[in-house]
Amino acid sequence: MAKEATILTFDDDIKAKAQELFADFGFDLSTAVNIFLRQSVHEDCIPFNIRREAPNADTIAAIKEAEKMVKYTEKYKSYTDADEMMKELLS
């Protein structure tokens, strides 16, 4: 299959961030663009399914807190009615 060089223009900051992201997957920018183009043609749409699976620090803390709440339900108040919860929160 013949290859053709193409000039693409990117903002400097987005290019650097994209290169860092794709390096996490073991790709260079050219490979990542080729994957995107091939997948687009294959699916006949613009696919956006490749992403990092690393939550940020706030999300990790929230997940740990939720796990603790599930494990130790006796230590946390629960509600069966949203109006009851809002009433207590706003009082």
Side-chain angles (χ1 to χ4, degrees):
M1 180 182 318
K3 295 191 178 212
E4 180 178 326
T6 301
I7 296 173
L8 299 173
T9 305
F10 304 101
D11 291 336
D12 291 339
D13 62 327
I14 197 70
K15 180 182 177 186
K17 288 176 183 176
Q19 286 174 313
E20 181 182 338
L21 169 67
F22 299 141
D24 286 350
F25 293 111
F27 304 145
D28 61 13
L29 190 58
S30 180
T31 301
V33 170
N34 271 292
I35 289 170
F36 170 76
L37 295 174
R38 288 175 183 275
Q39 195 66 24
S40 296
V41 170
H42 176 75
E43 293 185 22
D44 199 25
C45 67
I46 299 174
F48 288 103
N49 295 328
I50 297 177
R51 61 184 145 170
R52 287 184 180 161
E53 293 293 331
N56 64 29
D58 289 338
T59 302
I60 291 170
I63 290 169
K64 287 180 180 179
E65 182 180 13
E67 288 170 345
K68 191 167 111 178
M69 292 172 82
V70 168
K71 187 173 182 178
Y72 303 105
T73 56
E74 69 280 357
K75 293 184 178 185
Y76 299 93
K77 178 142 181 151
S78 62
Y79 299 90
T80 56
D81 183 296
D83 291 331
E84 173 191 350
M85 178 187 72
M86 290 306 294
K87 185 177 178 182
E88 186 170 325
L89 286 171
L90 297 173
S91 63

